[in-house]
Amino acid sequence: MIHRLIFPNSAIIRAPEWLVLKGGRGQMLDIPVRYGVFEHDAAGTCLIDTGYNHRVTTGPRSFALRIYAALLRPRLTMATLPDAQPDARTIILTHLHADHVAALRDYPDARIIADKTALEHYLNAGPIRLRHGVFAELLPPDALDRIEDINDCPTCPAPLGLGPARDLFGDGSVLAVPLPGHMRGHVGLCFPRFETPLLYAADAQWLHQAVMEDRQPGRPAALILDDADLARSTARRIRQFTQQGGDVIYCHDPDILPEYGSESG
């Protein structure tokens, strides 16, 4: 059973609306960089990604990571990891961008669940990693040995038209749903047993408005997409899920509740 699912904000990035919403205005938005936390009866304290932390913004870093931080200029909050959640036992990665794995090295004993094939691809991709915001220095040196592959989990259907999913804990409480387009291996997490089924769509879009109005992000943000056509297809599935009564939360949408709740029953 899932208890007290919350989405703390690890950092703020300032960006114009037109960057994350096609045809958007020039007004500046405070874009959060969230991670998730919940308690699971068997898996203990679980993190969904890790947000940004000091490993991106200060200290010894590669030149590429310094450039990345200088371009985005994240302002860290008091909710950064690992201090905010020092005892996490399980970390589920939706994908491998720096703002989702920055604190991974700070949990050397945690169980990590992720798409192992995607990790292998980016570790062998050379300079393409910078374009996609993947930095090997943020990953544990034993990442390939530690990761439990999402694709080895049992398959099951996700609710409200989301399609095939992976049952991460074997009890139907947390389902990994492929949401391709943003990045190779990108998944969302569905919590089907909540009173209203919830999809954490991670970075399938920056704003829910963009999904509901079929408005892809503007340039240059759109250039980081792994596959724009697949991103549009993913948005259609999320839109259908919402129209059938599901709730959706995203990593970067400023307009979400910091605490969602627990399973009903």
Side-chain angles (χ1 to χ4, degrees):
M1 179 172 278
I2 301 299
H3 307 280
R4 193 172 177 260
L5 174 62
I6 61 174
F7 293 94
N9 181 23
S10 68
I12 291 288
I13 294 174
R14 293 275 287 169
E17 185 184 73
W18 56 259
L19 184 67
V20 295
L21 182 68
K22 186 175 182 179
R25 299 163 293 177
Q27 74 175 58
M28 300 298 287
L29 300 178
D30 284 335
I31 297 174
V33 181
R34 300 187 182 277
Y35 58 90
V37 185
F38 63 89
E39 297 291 330
H40 182 270
D41 287 345
T45 301
C46 299
L47 299 176
I48 307 171
D49 300 324
T50 69
Y52 277 131
N53 80 346
H54 67 93
R55 293 183 183 276
V56 170
T57 59
T58 60
R61 290 162 290 158
S62 67
F63 178 72
L65 188 53
R66 287 177 181 272
I67 293 297
Y68 172 91
L71 289 172
L72 294 177
R73 293 181 292 178
R75 305 195 315 269
L76 301 183
T77 72
M78 295 297 292
T80 54
L81 299 171
D83 293 343
Q85 296 287 336
D87 299 323
R89 289 173 45 194
T90 301
I91 302 174
I92 307 166
L93 298 181
T94 63
H95 61 299
L96 300 170
H97 279 157
D99 56 330
H100 295 259
V101 304
L104 208 54
R105 282 178 174 254
D106 297 297
Y107 295 93
D109 299 318
R111 173 189 185 191
I112 303 173
I113 305 174
D115 188 315
K116 191 170 185 177
T117 302
L119 175 60
E120 291 171 336
H121 168 78
Y122 284 110
L123 288 179
N124 294 317
I128 195 174
R129 290 181 308 199
L130 175 57
R131 177 196 161 207
H132 285 286
V134 179
F135 300 91
E137 66 203 84
L138 296 177
L139 302 171
D142 59 350
L144 279 175
D145 295 326
R146 288 176 56 194
I147 279 181
E148 298 180 21
D149 193 352
I150 281 176
N151 300 301
D152 289 338
C153 296
T155 58
C156 64
L160 304 180
L162 285 176
R166 299 283 181 169
D167 186 351
L168 296 189
F169 300 129
D171 61 1
S173 63
V174 186
L175 309 181
V177 180
L179 299 177
H182 177 70
M183 185 186 195
R184 184 182 293 243
H186 181 265
V187 300
L189 297 182
C190 181
F191 298 84
R193 293 181 179 170
F194 285 176
E195 184 174 352
T196 299
L198 171 70
L199 173 66
Y200 178 65
D203 284 12
Q205 266 288 10
W206 281 270
L207 305 178
H208 188 54
Q209 179 184 357
V211 169
M212 300 309 292
E213 297 177 2
D214 195 17
R215 297 164 69 182
Q216 293 294 308
R219 289 177 177 268
L223 296 176
I224 71 166
L225 291 176
D226 181 62
D227 188 310
D229 289 337
L230 285 177
R232 283 189 287 270
S233 177
T234 287
R236 285 194 294 270
R237 286 167 55 217
I238 296 173
R239 193 157 57 244
Q240 177 183 355
F241 175 80
T242 302
Q243 291 167 344
Q244 293 188 25
D247 283 345
V248 184
I249 291 176
Y250 305 82
C251 176
H252 301 298
D253 194 325
D255 219 5
I256 72 166
L257 298 174
E259 180 166 350
Y260 190 81
S262 303
E263 287 182 9
S264 57

Short mmCIF file of all heavy atoms in Angstrom, two decimals, residues 166-229:
data_model
loop_
_atom_site.label_atom_id
_atom_site.label_comp_id
_atom_site.label_asym_id
_atom_site.label_seq_id
_atom_site.Cartn_x
_atom_site.Cartn_y
_atom_site.Cartn_z
N ARG A 166 4.47 -1.79 -16.29
CA ARG A 166 5.26 -2.72 -15.48
C ARG A 166 4.91 -2.54 -14.01
O ARG A 166 4.93 -1.41 -13.50
CB ARG A 166 6.76 -2.48 -15.70
CG ARG A 166 7.21 -2.68 -17.13
CD ARG A 166 7.34 -4.15 -17.49
NE ARG A 166 7.81 -4.34 -18.86
CZ ARG A 166 8.21 -5.52 -19.35
NH1 ARG A 166 8.19 -6.59 -18.58
NH2 ARG A 166 8.61 -5.62 -20.60
N ASP A 167 4.61 -3.65 -13.35
CA ASP A 167 4.24 -3.63 -11.93
C ASP A 167 5.52 -3.68 -11.10
O ASP A 167 6.15 -4.73 -10.93
CB ASP A 167 3.36 -4.84 -11.64
CG ASP A 167 2.80 -4.85 -10.23
OD1 ASP A 167 3.23 -4.02 -9.40
OD2 ASP A 167 1.95 -5.71 -9.94
N LEU A 168 5.92 -2.52 -10.56
CA LEU A 168 7.25 -2.41 -9.96
C LEU A 168 7.41 -3.22 -8.69
O LEU A 168 8.50 -3.73 -8.42
CB LEU A 168 7.56 -0.93 -9.68
CG LEU A 168 7.65 -0.02 -10.91
CD1 LEU A 168 8.17 1.36 -10.50
CD2 LEU A 168 8.54 -0.62 -11.98
N PHE A 169 6.37 -3.33 -7.89
CA PHE A 169 6.49 -4.04 -6.61
C PHE A 169 5.70 -5.34 -6.57
O PHE A 169 5.62 -5.99 -5.53
CB PHE A 169 6.06 -3.12 -5.46
CG PHE A 169 6.88 -1.87 -5.34
CD1 PHE A 169 6.27 -0.63 -5.26
CD2 PHE A 169 8.26 -1.92 -5.32
CE1 PHE A 169 7.02 0.53 -5.15
CE2 PHE A 169 9.02 -0.77 -5.22
CZ PHE A 169 8.41 0.45 -5.12
N GLY A 170 5.09 -5.70 -7.70
CA GLY A 170 4.36 -6.96 -7.78
C GLY A 170 3.05 -6.99 -7.04
O GLY A 170 2.46 -8.06 -6.87
N ASP A 171 2.57 -5.81 -6.59
CA ASP A 171 1.31 -5.77 -5.84
C ASP A 171 0.28 -4.86 -6.49
O ASP A 171 -0.78 -4.61 -5.91
CB ASP A 171 1.57 -5.33 -4.40
CG ASP A 171 2.17 -3.93 -4.29
OD1 ASP A 171 2.39 -3.28 -5.35
OD2 ASP A 171 2.44 -3.48 -3.16
N GLY A 172 0.60 -4.31 -7.68
CA GLY A 172 -0.33 -3.45 -8.39
C GLY A 172 -0.42 -2.03 -7.89
O GLY A 172 -1.25 -1.26 -8.37
N SER A 173 0.44 -1.64 -6.95
CA SER A 173 0.33 -0.31 -6.35
C SER A 173 1.03 0.78 -7.15
O SER A 173 0.61 1.94 -7.14
CB SER A 173 0.87 -0.32 -4.92
OG SER A 173 2.26 -0.63 -4.90
N VAL A 174 2.14 0.43 -7.83
CA VAL A 174 2.93 1.41 -8.60
C VAL A 174 3.26 0.79 -9.95
O VAL A 174 3.95 -0.23 -10.02
CB VAL A 174 4.23 1.81 -7.88
CG1 VAL A 174 4.93 2.93 -8.66
CG2 VAL A 174 3.96 2.26 -6.45
N LEU A 175 2.78 1.41 -11.02
CA LEU A 175 2.98 0.90 -12.37
C LEU A 175 3.85 1.87 -13.16
O LEU A 175 3.58 3.07 -13.18
CB LEU A 175 1.64 0.73 -13.09
CG LEU A 175 0.54 -0.05 -12.36
CD1 LEU A 175 -0.70 -0.13 -13.24
CD2 LEU A 175 1.03 -1.43 -11.95
N ALA A 176 4.90 1.34 -13.80
CA ALA A 176 5.73 2.15 -14.68
C ALA A 176 5.14 2.11 -16.08
O ALA A 176 5.00 1.04 -16.67
CB ALA A 176 7.17 1.63 -14.70
N VAL A 177 4.78 3.28 -16.60
CA VAL A 177 4.10 3.39 -17.89
C VAL A 177 5.05 4.04 -18.89
O VAL A 177 5.51 5.17 -18.67
CB VAL A 177 2.82 4.25 -17.77
CG1 VAL A 177 2.12 4.35 -19.11
CG2 VAL A 177 1.89 3.68 -16.70
N PRO A 178 5.40 3.37 -20.00
CA PRO A 178 6.25 4.01 -20.99
C PRO A 178 5.61 5.28 -21.54
O PRO A 178 4.45 5.27 -21.97
CB PRO A 178 6.38 2.95 -22.09
CG PRO A 178 6.06 1.65 -21.41
CD PRO A 178 5.05 1.99 -20.36
N LEU A 179 6.37 6.39 -21.50
CA LEU A 179 5.91 7.67 -22.05
C LEU A 179 7.00 8.20 -22.97
O LEU A 179 7.73 9.13 -22.64
CB LEU A 179 5.62 8.68 -20.92
CG LEU A 179 4.52 8.30 -19.92
CD1 LEU A 179 4.42 9.37 -18.82
CD2 LEU A 179 3.17 8.12 -20.61
N PRO A 180 7.15 7.59 -24.14
CA PRO A 180 8.28 7.93 -25.01
C PRO A 180 8.14 9.31 -25.65
O PRO A 180 7.05 9.88 -25.72
CB PRO A 180 8.22 6.82 -26.07
CG PRO A 180 6.79 6.41 -26.12
CD PRO A 180 6.29 6.54 -24.70
N GLY A 181 9.27 9.81 -26.13
CA GLY A 181 9.31 11.08 -26.83
C GLY A 181 10.25 12.06 -26.19
O GLY A 181 11.05 12.70 -26.87
N HIS A 182 10.16 12.22 -24.88
CA HIS A 182 11.03 13.18 -24.18
C HIS A 182 12.47 12.71 -24.17
O HIS A 182 13.39 13.47 -24.42
CB HIS A 182 10.52 13.39 -22.76
CG HIS A 182 11.37 14.30 -21.94
ND1 HIS A 182 11.45 15.66 -22.17
CD2 HIS A 182 12.20 14.05 -20.90
CE1 HIS A 182 12.28 16.21 -21.31
NE2 HIS A 182 12.75 15.26 -20.52
N MET A 183 12.65 11.43 -23.85
CA MET A 183 13.99 10.86 -23.72
C MET A 183 13.88 9.35 -23.81
O MET A 183 12.87 8.76 -23.39
CB MET A 183 14.62 11.26 -22.38
CG MET A 183 16.05 10.82 -22.22
SD MET A 183 16.65 11.17 -20.55
CE MET A 183 18.40 10.98 -20.79
N ARG A 184 14.89 8.72 -24.34
CA ARG A 184 14.91 7.26 -24.39
C ARG A 184 14.75 6.69 -22.98
O ARG A 184 15.42 7.11 -22.04
CB ARG A 184 16.24 6.78 -24.98
CG ARG A 184 16.33 5.28 -25.17
CD ARG A 184 17.69 4.89 -25.70
NE ARG A 184 17.90 5.38 -27.05
CZ ARG A 184 18.09 4.62 -28.13
NH1 ARG A 184 18.09 3.30 -27.99
NH2 ARG A 184 18.29 5.15 -29.31
N GLY A 185 13.83 5.74 -22.83
CA GLY A 185 13.60 5.11 -21.54
C GLY A 185 12.69 5.88 -20.60
O GLY A 185 12.47 5.44 -19.47
N HIS A 186 12.13 7.01 -21.03
CA HIS A 186 11.29 7.84 -20.16
C HIS A 186 10.00 7.11 -19.80
O HIS A 186 9.30 6.59 -20.67
CB HIS A 186 10.97 9.15 -20.88
CG HIS A 186 10.14 10.10 -20.08
ND1 HIS A 186 8.77 10.16 -20.20
CD2 HIS A 186 10.48 11.03 -19.15
CE1 HIS A 186 8.30 11.09 -19.39
NE2 HIS A 186 9.32 11.63 -18.74
N VAL A 187 9.69 7.05 -18.51
CA VAL A 187 8.46 6.43 -18.03
C VAL A 187 7.76 7.38 -17.07
O VAL A 187 8.37 8.25 -16.45
CB VAL A 187 8.72 5.08 -17.31
CG1 VAL A 187 9.37 4.08 -18.24
CG2 VAL A 187 9.54 5.28 -16.04
N GLY A 188 6.45 7.18 -16.96
CA GLY A 188 5.69 7.79 -15.89
C GLY A 188 5.31 6.73 -14.88
O GLY A 188 5.49 5.52 -15.12
N LEU A 189 4.80 7.16 -13.75
CA LEU A 189 4.37 6.22 -12.71
C LEU A 189 2.89 6.41 -12.45
O LEU A 189 2.43 7.52 -12.17
CB LEU A 189 5.17 6.44 -11.42
CG LEU A 189 6.68 6.20 -11.52
CD1 LEU A 189 7.33 6.41 -10.16
CD2 LEU A 189 6.98 4.80 -12.03
N CYS A 190 2.17 5.31 -12.53
CA CYS A 190 0.73 5.34 -12.30
C CYS A 190 0.42 4.71 -10.94
O CYS A 190 0.98 3.66 -10.59
CB CYS A 190 0.00 4.59 -13.41
SG CYS A 190 -1.80 4.58 -13.23
N PHE A 191 -0.47 5.38 -10.21
CA PHE A 191 -0.93 4.89 -8.91
C PHE A 191 -2.42 4.57 -9.06
O PHE A 191 -3.29 5.40 -8.80
CB PHE A 191 -0.68 5.94 -7.84
CG PHE A 191 0.77 6.28 -7.66
CD1 PHE A 191 1.40 7.22 -8.48
CD2 PHE A 191 1.54 5.65 -6.69
CE1 PHE A 191 2.74 7.52 -8.33
CE2 PHE A 191 2.89 5.95 -6.53
CZ PHE A 191 3.49 6.88 -7.36
N PRO A 192 -2.73 3.35 -9.50
CA PRO A 192 -4.11 3.04 -9.91
C PRO A 192 -5.08 2.87 -8.75
O PRO A 192 -6.30 2.88 -8.97
CB PRO A 192 -3.95 1.72 -10.67
CG PRO A 192 -2.74 1.07 -10.09
CD PRO A 192 -1.81 2.21 -9.73
N ARG A 193 -4.58 2.70 -7.52
CA ARG A 193 -5.47 2.41 -6.41
C ARG A 193 -5.92 3.64 -5.64
O ARG A 193 -6.69 3.51 -4.68
CB ARG A 193 -4.79 1.42 -5.46
CG ARG A 193 -4.59 0.05 -6.07
CD ARG A 193 -3.93 -0.87 -5.08
NE ARG A 193 -3.76 -2.21 -5.64
CZ ARG A 193 -3.04 -3.16 -5.06
NH1 ARG A 193 -2.43 -2.92 -3.89
NH2 ARG A 193 -2.91 -4.35 -5.63
N PHE A 194 -5.43 4.81 -6.03
CA PHE A 194 -5.95 6.02 -5.42
C PHE A 194 -7.43 6.16 -5.80
O PHE A 194 -7.88 5.62 -6.81
CB PHE A 194 -5.17 7.24 -5.87
CG PHE A 194 -3.81 7.37 -5.24
CD1 PHE A 194 -2.95 8.38 -5.63
CD2 PHE A 194 -3.37 6.49 -4.27
CE1 PHE A 194 -1.69 8.52 -5.06
CE2 PHE A 194 -2.12 6.61 -3.69
CZ PHE A 194 -1.28 7.63 -4.08
N GLU A 195 -8.16 6.90 -4.99
CA GLU A 195 -9.58 7.10 -5.27
C GLU A 195 -9.79 7.59 -6.70
O GLU A 195 -10.71 7.16 -7.39
CB GLU A 195 -10.18 8.09 -4.27
CG GLU A 195 -11.67 8.28 -4.42
CD GLU A 195 -12.25 9.14 -3.33
OE1 GLU A 195 -11.52 9.47 -2.36
OE2 GLU A 195 -13.43 9.51 -3.44
N THR A 196 -8.93 8.51 -7.14
CA THR A 196 -8.84 8.89 -8.55
C THR A 196 -7.48 8.44 -9.04
O THR A 196 -6.46 8.87 -8.50
CB THR A 196 -8.98 10.41 -8.72
OG1 THR A 196 -10.24 10.84 -8.23
CG2 THR A 196 -8.86 10.79 -10.20
N PRO A 197 -7.40 7.55 -10.03
CA PRO A 197 -6.09 7.09 -10.50
C PRO A 197 -5.19 8.27 -10.87
O PRO A 197 -5.63 9.22 -11.51
CB PRO A 197 -6.44 6.24 -11.73
CG PRO A 197 -7.83 5.77 -11.49
CD PRO A 197 -8.51 6.91 -10.77
N LEU A 198 -3.93 8.16 -10.46
CA LEU A 198 -2.97 9.25 -10.67
C LEU A 198 -1.86 8.78 -11.59
O LEU A 198 -1.33 7.68 -11.44
CB LEU A 198 -2.36 9.68 -9.34
CG LEU A 198 -1.17 10.66 -9.43
CD1 LEU A 198 -1.63 12.02 -9.91
CD2 LEU A 198 -0.45 10.76 -8.09
N LEU A 199 -1.49 9.64 -12.52
CA LEU A 199 -0.30 9.44 -13.35
C LEU A 199 0.69 10.53 -13.05
O LEU A 199 0.40 11.72 -13.21
CB LEU A 199 -0.65 9.47 -14.83
CG LEU A 199 0.55 9.42 -15.80
CD1 LEU A 199 1.27 8.08 -15.70
CD2 LEU A 199 0.12 9.71 -17.22
N TYR A 200 1.89 10.14 -12.56
CA TYR A 200 2.99 11.09 -12.50
C TYR A 200 3.68 11.01 -13.85
O TYR A 200 4.39 10.04 -14.14
CB TYR A 200 3.95 10.77 -11.35
CG TYR A 200 5.12 11.72 -11.30
CD1 TYR A 200 4.92 13.07 -11.01
CD2 TYR A 200 6.42 11.29 -11.55
CE1 TYR A 200 5.98 13.96 -10.98
CE2 TYR A 200 7.48 12.17 -11.51
CZ TYR A 200 7.25 13.50 -11.23
OH TYR A 200 8.30 14.40 -11.20
N ALA A 201 3.49 12.03 -14.68
CA ALA A 201 3.95 12.00 -16.07
C ALA A 201 5.35 12.54 -16.24
O ALA A 201 5.82 12.67 -17.38
CB ALA A 201 2.98 12.77 -16.96
N ALA A 202 6.03 12.85 -15.14
CA ALA A 202 7.43 13.30 -15.16
C ALA A 202 7.62 14.43 -16.17
O ALA A 202 7.02 15.49 -16.02
CB ALA A 202 8.36 12.12 -15.43
N ASP A 203 8.41 14.20 -17.22
CA ASP A 203 8.72 15.25 -18.19
C ASP A 203 8.03 15.02 -19.54
O ASP A 203 8.49 15.52 -20.57
CB ASP A 203 10.22 15.34 -18.42
CG ASP A 203 10.94 16.03 -17.28
OD1 ASP A 203 10.31 16.23 -16.22
OD2 ASP A 203 12.13 16.35 -17.43
N ALA A 204 6.93 14.28 -19.55
CA ALA A 204 6.20 14.11 -20.81
C ALA A 204 5.82 15.47 -21.39
O ALA A 204 5.73 15.63 -22.61
CB ALA A 204 4.95 13.27 -20.58
N GLN A 205 5.59 16.43 -20.54
CA GLN A 205 5.47 17.84 -20.91
C GLN A 205 5.86 18.66 -19.70
O GLN A 205 5.92 18.16 -18.58
CB GLN A 205 4.03 18.19 -21.33
CG GLN A 205 3.78 18.12 -22.81
CD GLN A 205 4.46 19.27 -23.57
OE1 GLN A 205 5.27 20.02 -23.00
NE2 GLN A 205 4.15 19.42 -24.84
N TRP A 206 6.15 19.94 -19.94
CA TRP A 206 6.44 20.83 -18.82
C TRP A 206 5.14 21.32 -18.18
O TRP A 206 5.07 21.45 -16.96
CB TRP A 206 7.28 22.03 -19.29
CG TRP A 206 8.73 21.71 -19.45
CD1 TRP A 206 9.71 21.83 -18.50
CD2 TRP A 206 9.39 21.22 -20.62
NE1 TRP A 206 10.92 21.43 -19.01
CE2 TRP A 206 10.76 21.06 -20.31
CE3 TRP A 206 8.94 20.89 -21.90
CZ2 TRP A 206 11.68 20.59 -21.24
CZ3 TRP A 206 9.86 20.42 -22.83
CH2 TRP A 206 11.21 20.27 -22.48
N LEU A 207 4.14 21.60 -18.98
CA LEU A 207 2.89 22.15 -18.48
C LEU A 207 1.72 21.26 -18.90
O LEU A 207 1.65 20.83 -20.05
CB LEU A 207 2.65 23.57 -19.03
CG LEU A 207 3.76 24.60 -18.81
CD1 LEU A 207 3.37 25.92 -19.47
CD2 LEU A 207 4.03 24.81 -17.33
N HIS A 208 0.77 21.05 -17.99
CA HIS A 208 -0.43 20.30 -18.33
C HIS A 208 -1.23 21.03 -19.41
O HIS A 208 -1.86 20.40 -20.27
CB HIS A 208 -1.29 20.09 -17.09
CG HIS A 208 -2.44 19.17 -17.29
ND1 HIS A 208 -2.30 17.89 -17.79
CD2 HIS A 208 -3.78 19.33 -17.08
CE1 HIS A 208 -3.47 17.29 -17.86
NE2 HIS A 208 -4.39 18.16 -17.45
N GLN A 209 -1.19 22.33 -19.39
CA GLN A 209 -1.86 23.12 -20.42
C GLN A 209 -1.38 22.73 -21.81
O GLN A 209 -2.17 22.64 -22.76
CB GLN A 209 -1.61 24.61 -20.18
CG GLN A 209 -2.24 25.52 -21.22
CD GLN A 209 -1.89 26.98 -21.00
OE1 GLN A 209 -1.22 27.33 -20.02
NE2 GLN A 209 -2.34 27.84 -21.89
N ALA A 210 -0.09 22.46 -21.95
CA ALA A 210 0.47 22.09 -23.25
C ALA A 210 -0.11 20.77 -23.73
O ALA A 210 -0.36 20.58 -24.92
CB ALA A 210 1.98 22.02 -23.16
N VAL A 211 -0.32 19.83 -22.80
CA VAL A 211 -0.90 18.54 -23.17
C VAL A 211 -2.36 18.71 -23.59
O VAL A 211 -2.79 18.22 -24.64
CB VAL A 211 -0.81 17.55 -21.98
CG1 VAL A 211 -1.63 16.30 -22.25
CG2 VAL A 211 0.64 17.18 -21.72
N MET A 212 -3.13 19.42 -22.79
CA MET A 212 -4.56 19.53 -23.05
C MET A 212 -4.87 20.36 -24.29
O MET A 212 -5.89 20.17 -24.94
CB MET A 212 -5.27 20.11 -21.82
CG MET A 212 -5.11 19.25 -20.57
SD MET A 212 -5.51 17.50 -20.80
CE MET A 212 -7.28 17.61 -21.08
N GLU A 213 -3.97 21.30 -24.63
CA GLU A 213 -4.19 22.16 -25.80
C GLU A 213 -3.34 21.72 -26.99
O GLU A 213 -3.30 22.41 -28.01
CB GLU A 213 -3.87 23.61 -25.44
CG GLU A 213 -4.80 24.16 -24.36
CD GLU A 213 -4.44 25.58 -23.95
OE1 GLU A 213 -3.48 26.15 -24.52
OE2 GLU A 213 -5.12 26.12 -23.05
N ASP A 214 -2.65 20.58 -26.86
CA ASP A 214 -1.81 20.05 -27.94
C ASP A 214 -0.82 21.10 -28.43
O ASP A 214 -0.69 21.37 -29.63
CB ASP A 214 -2.68 19.56 -29.09
CG ASP A 214 -1.89 18.68 -30.07
OD1 ASP A 214 -0.80 18.20 -29.68
OD2 ASP A 214 -2.35 18.49 -31.21
N ARG A 215 -0.04 21.65 -27.50
CA ARG A 215 0.94 22.69 -27.81
C ARG A 215 2.32 22.22 -27.34
O ARG A 215 2.62 22.24 -26.14
CB ARG A 215 0.57 24.01 -27.16
CG ARG A 215 -0.75 24.58 -27.66
CD ARG A 215 -1.28 25.66 -26.76
NE ARG A 215 -0.47 26.88 -26.80
CZ ARG A 215 -0.74 27.96 -26.06
NH1 ARG A 215 -1.78 27.94 -25.21
NH2 ARG A 215 0.03 29.02 -26.15
N GLN A 216 3.14 21.77 -28.26
CA GLN A 216 4.49 21.33 -27.93
C GLN A 216 5.31 22.54 -27.46
O GLN A 216 4.99 23.68 -27.80
CB GLN A 216 5.15 20.70 -29.16
CG GLN A 216 4.52 19.39 -29.59
CD GLN A 216 4.72 18.30 -28.55
OE1 GLN A 216 5.83 18.04 -28.11
NE2 GLN A 216 3.63 17.65 -28.16
N PRO A 217 6.38 22.31 -26.71
CA PRO A 217 7.20 23.43 -26.25
C PRO A 217 7.87 24.14 -27.42
O PRO A 217 8.07 23.58 -28.49
CB PRO A 217 8.24 22.77 -25.34
CG PRO A 217 8.28 21.35 -25.78
CD PRO A 217 6.88 21.03 -26.22
N GLY A 218 8.22 25.41 -27.19
CA GLY A 218 8.90 26.18 -28.22
C GLY A 218 10.38 25.86 -28.28
O GLY A 218 10.93 25.14 -27.45
N ARG A 219 11.05 26.39 -29.31
CA ARG A 219 12.49 26.25 -29.41
C ARG A 219 13.15 27.22 -28.42
O ARG A 219 12.61 28.31 -28.18
CB ARG A 219 12.95 26.54 -30.84
CG ARG A 219 12.55 25.46 -31.83
CD ARG A 219 12.96 25.83 -33.24
NE ARG A 219 12.64 24.79 -34.18
CZ ARG A 219 13.48 23.81 -34.52
NH1 ARG A 219 14.69 23.79 -34.01
NH2 ARG A 219 13.13 22.88 -35.37
N PRO A 220 14.30 26.87 -27.85
CA PRO A 220 15.10 25.68 -28.13
C PRO A 220 14.73 24.46 -27.28
O PRO A 220 15.34 23.41 -27.45
CB PRO A 220 16.51 26.14 -27.78
CG PRO A 220 16.30 27.10 -26.66
CD PRO A 220 15.02 27.83 -26.98
N ALA A 221 13.73 24.59 -26.38
CA ALA A 221 13.39 23.46 -25.50
C ALA A 221 13.00 22.23 -26.31
O ALA A 221 13.32 21.10 -25.93
CB ALA A 221 12.25 23.86 -24.56
N ALA A 222 12.32 22.43 -27.44
CA ALA A 222 11.88 21.29 -28.25
C ALA A 222 13.04 20.51 -28.83
O ALA A 222 12.89 19.34 -29.20
CB ALA A 222 10.96 21.78 -29.37
N LEU A 223 14.22 21.13 -28.91
CA LEU A 223 15.36 20.46 -29.54
C LEU A 223 15.88 19.29 -28.71
O LEU A 223 16.59 18.43 -29.24
CB LEU A 223 16.48 21.48 -29.78
CG LEU A 223 16.15 22.60 -30.77
CD1 LEU A 223 17.31 23.59 -30.86
CD2 LEU A 223 15.83 22.04 -32.15
N ILE A 224 15.56 19.26 -27.43
CA ILE A 224 16.08 18.17 -26.60
C ILE A 224 15.21 16.92 -26.70
O ILE A 224 15.58 15.87 -26.20
CB ILE A 224 16.21 18.57 -25.12
CG1 ILE A 224 14.82 18.71 -24.46
CG2 ILE A 224 17.04 19.84 -24.96
CD1 ILE A 224 14.89 18.77 -22.96
N LEU A 225 14.04 17.03 -27.36
CA LEU A 225 13.17 15.86 -27.46
C LEU A 225 13.86 14.73 -28.19
O LEU A 225 14.51 14.93 -29.22
CB LEU A 225 11.88 16.23 -28.19
CG LEU A 225 10.92 17.16 -27.47
CD1 LEU A 225 9.73 17.49 -28.37
CD2 LEU A 225 10.43 16.54 -26.17
N ASP A 226 13.69 13.53 -27.68
CA ASP A 226 14.25 12.36 -28.35
C ASP A 226 13.50 12.06 -29.63
O ASP A 226 14.09 11.67 -30.63
CB ASP A 226 14.17 11.18 -27.39
CG ASP A 226 14.76 9.90 -27.97
OD1 ASP A 226 15.97 9.91 -28.27
OD2 ASP A 226 14.01 8.93 -28.14
N ASP A 227 12.16 12.26 -29.61
CA ASP A 227 11.35 11.99 -30.80
C ASP A 227 10.06 12.82 -30.68
O ASP A 227 9.19 12.52 -29.86
CB ASP A 227 11.01 10.50 -30.90
CG ASP A 227 10.34 10.12 -32.20
OD1 ASP A 227 9.36 10.79 -32.57
OD2 ASP A 227 10.78 9.14 -32.83
N ALA A 228 9.94 13.87 -31.49
CA ALA A 228 8.80 14.78 -31.39
C ALA A 228 7.48 14.08 -31.70
O ALA A 228 6.44 14.36 -31.08
CB ALA A 228 9.00 15.98 -32.31
N ASP A 229 7.48 13.16 -32.67
CA ASP A 229 6.25 12.45 -33.01
C ASP A 229 5.78 11.57 -31.85
O ASP A 229 4.58 11.52 -31.54
CB ASP A 229 6.46 11.59 -34.27
CG ASP A 229 6.61 12.42 -35.53
OD1 ASP A 229 6.14 13.58 -35.54
OD2 ASP A 229 7.21 11.92 -36.50
#
